Amino acid sequence: MLNRRNYLSLLAAAGVGAKIALKPTPSLAQPIPPEVGGADDQTAGLFRSIRELHGSLRVLTRKYEGTTLRQTQKFDGDTLIDDQQRWQLAWETRRIPGRQGWDVTLTCTLEQGEAEQTAISIDFPFKKWETVNYVMIPGIVYNGNRYRTIGNGYNPDYPADMYYNPRASLVTSNNPRLALDTSESSQIELETCATAAPSMSFFSPRFKKGWIVLTEQGTRLGNSGLSIEESASRESCDFRISAPVVRRLAAGFGDFRPSGDSAPNWSAGDAVSIRFQVFTFDADGIPALLQEFMDVRKSLTGATVPRNLLPMSKLAELGTDICRANFTETKAGKYYLPENSKDFQLGWVSGMINTYPMLALNDETERSRVAEELDFICSRMQGRSGFFFGYISSDGEIRSEKSHPDFPAVQAMVRKNGDVLFWLIKHLMILRVQGHGETVKETWESAARDLAAAFTRTWRECGEFGQYIVPETGGIAVYNSTAGAIAPAGLALAAEYFRRPDWLAVAEESAEFYYERDVKSRGFTGGACADISQDADSETSFGLLETFMALYQYTGKSAWLDRAKVQAALCSSWTLAYDPLFPAGSDIARLGGRMAGAVWASSQNKHAAPGVCTSSADHLFKLYRATGQKKYAELIRDIQHAHAEAVNMPGHITTDNLIGSSMERIQPSDAEGKDSIGEFIRTRNSWTETDGILMALELPGIYVRPGEDVLFTFDHVGVERIHGNGRSTVLRLTNETPYAAQVSVLAETARQSARPLGYTAFLGWPRVEVPAGGEATVSVTSNGKVTRHA
């Protein structure tokens, strides 16, 4: 059996991947019980499980000329004889404990003869297929991407029929997809590295079943392929793992190009081992598939082991220093520079988000600067309807964020307006908690009230928030999408702040609408990014989770917690579940980067990023705290640690820019060309820097419940429990990084954890100083008190 250590070593030696030391993937399987059959029949249980969905499993050789498939041949049992060639299969099949799953390592050997340009595939053909089946390949394909497509490239213009048309269908960019038109061929071809986890899955409403297959990144032949192909009649569908990947076309950012893939030549004695896991399970809907996926997404590749590189306090220090130096005055107004331009945009990646951590510093100078930015925003960027414009140039020109010559009215992103409402209320809240309520201006509160009223009015008139609105009139210019995913969270906060229960009612109604239409029925959320169409994206997924946790906090209804669990599962599908192997010599490989936790952007923009745009994703921590389920804490810890891997530090250069800066591209796929895999873009993005600061603020470094055997570490320190009792515990903290750490500690009881965590709770967390390369021992009591030992 070819284990993971040998696989990585072979790829590295061949120049395909980095020479990094990783432990073999631990086996999570048990031998098949004897009652299943003898040695020749030990895969019977696997085959029976697939037949529950009228599926089967077959192994084929696939002969190519370049990327053109010339011939396929199916194994007869475990042997295939073709002229002078003799191929042989060997199976190692195990049950996965606690789940309806099977772990398989299949070794294919060419025992005699030679074979040119040949790949091996494991096919799962399903009969009684229906196009209503929900198909997911995490991070790139949701609901088969079976929607109307527009354009043939990055950020295509919207056609006229999408404007002011509530009946317009959802549209996406030109992405890998199953065909909408039955007259077209229906096929998806992907490389494993184009996904958040090398996986394919579907849910069948007809049979009330879900199916998931997981595999490894590749074999000794290189990265593997994932493909899905429907028959012309759509009555059957084939899911395929191939070693290696051989695609006709590779997907880019909304387009396709020749892949440049090739199949290898074989000599007698050559062999390849492909490991995969198959799960077949009862499911009453798409949410059940999503939650099963979250539970098994690391089942094959194994638990991730993040590196401790950069204490969160150091990250926050460097990030706020960068932001502090970027405060500027332009003709338009005074503000912290967004991104790498002097022009200003609200929300999404910029304004009124990067100001929040500057308020958290509780520094008079920065508080004054934030006030000047809020004055500028509220006086220059709010339309008559109450909605805000999203973009203003440095010389003061308001610009449209989507445009069409037939519709000249200036439009703005609904997503940005949702961000403004949510973050503006958070600004007002933190100022009051810090004791600076007197600095809160009526103009700021009035702007927030008008925006909440605008969202409420639009919901009551239209039954949705749309994707683009006209701030002057309040009319929806482009309907559909989940662009307003975070708007209900903003309404919930505004309802609490201004004592407006009617706004909370609208927040609940609109959040339920998004859950029922987009999550439960479509199986994805999308349309929140300015540079995509209505494609599936990660940002709306995390934004809607923010909404569900806000509603749980302000209503106490368990239904919102249940929906948050489903939403977190959807979020996990956008997050790298394992540490990809990057090409030898690439930036990430040279640094030994462990990128599990990087967050894929969207179905159009096929790359991962360091962090959630733009959020600390502390709602995942709140979900962990409310449920006690570690998978949510592990997900946000992965995200935070992947972010640190991308930060520019001495000896760890990622941006060729300021120390503490970072950029938005972590690229495991060849969507931007094979030469871009594993390469950092030599620039900086302020939103990723803001993300790092927010995670450092809003996530505790250590979460502990003394006497309850609950201890979880988010910060880049080691933590060991020395001893304790029901009221307190003694912890030893070690810091192996070259930077001193100020580690925040949240200690509480189970009863306290049942109460939702407020948005400014982090201000009260005590901190422990741990010197660079040193350690500290502290006593932590259940009432949150932390005492350092001498």
Coordinates of all heavy atoms in Angstrom, one line a residue, residues 50 60 162 165 215 390 398 413 504 642 687 764:
I50 N -23.4 1.2 -2.3 CA -23.6 2.0 -3.5 C -24.8 1.6 -4.2 O -25.5 2.5 -4.8 CB -22.3 1.8 -4.4 CG1 -21.1 2.3 -3.7 CG2 -22.5 2.7 -5.7 CD1 -19.8 2.0 -4.5
L60 N -11.5 1.2 -14.8 CA -11.2 1.3 -16.2 C -9.8 1.8 -16.5 O -9.2 2.6 -15.7 CB -12.2 2.2 -17.0 CG -13.6 1.8 -17.0 CD1 -14.4 2.4 -15.8 CD2 -14.3 2.2 -18.3
M162 N -31.8 41.5 -17.0 CA -31.7 41.3 -15.5 C -32.1 42.5 -14.7 O -32.3 42.4 -13.5 CB -30.2 40.9 -15.2 CG -29.8 39.5 -15.6 SD -28.1 39.0 -15.1 CE -28.3 39.1 -13.3
N165 N -36.1 43.4 -12.9 CA -36.9 42.3 -13.3 C -36.9 41.2 -12.2 O -36.0 40.4 -12.0 CB -36.3 41.7 -14.6 CG -37.1 40.4 -15.0 OD1 -38.2 40.1 -14.5 ND2 -36.6 39.8 -16.0
T215 N -11.2 11.5 -1.8 CA -10.0 10.9 -2.2 C -8.8 11.8 -1.8 O -9.0 12.8 -1.1 CB -10.0 10.7 -3.8 OG1 -8.8 9.9 -4.1 CG2 -9.9 12.0 -4.5
G390 N -21.9 52.8 -2.7 CA -20.8 51.9 -2.3 C -19.4 52.4 -2.6 O -18.4 51.9 -2.1
I398 N -19.2 60.2 -6.9 CA -19.9 58.9 -6.6 C -20.0 58.1 -7.9 O -20.3 58.6 -8.9 CB -21.3 59.2 -6.1 CG1 -21.3 60.0 -4.7 CG2 -22.1 57.9 -6.0 CD1 -20.8 59.1 -3.6
M413 N -24.1 48.0 -4.1 CA -24.2 46.6 -3.7 C -25.1 46.5 -2.5 O -24.8 47.2 -1.5 CB -22.8 46.0 -3.4 CG -21.9 45.8 -4.6 SD -20.2 45.4 -4.2 CE -20.4 43.9 -3.3
L504 N -36.6 43.6 14.2 CA -36.2 42.3 14.5 C -37.1 41.3 13.8 O -36.7 40.2 13.3 CB -36.2 42.0 16.0 CG -35.8 40.6 16.5 CD1 -34.3 40.4 16.1 CD2 -36.0 40.5 18.0
A642 N -4.2 29.5 8.9 CA -3.9 29.6 7.5 C -3.7 31.1 7.2 O -2.8 31.4 6.3 CB -5.1 29.1 6.6
W687 N -8.0 44.2 3.3 CA -9.1 43.4 4.0 C -8.5 42.2 4.7 O -9.0 41.8 5.7 CB -10.2 43.0 3.0 CG -9.9 41.9 2.0 CD1 -9.6 41.9 0.7 CD2 -10.1 40.5 2.3 NE1 -9.5 40.7 0.2 CE2 -9.8 39.8 1.2 CE3 -10.4 39.7 3.5 CZ2 -9.8 38.4 1.1 CZ3 -10.4 38.4 3.4 CH2 -10.1 37.7 2.2
G764 N -13.3 42.6 27.7 CA -13.1 42.3 29.1 C -12.2 41.0 29.4 O -12.0 40.6 30.5

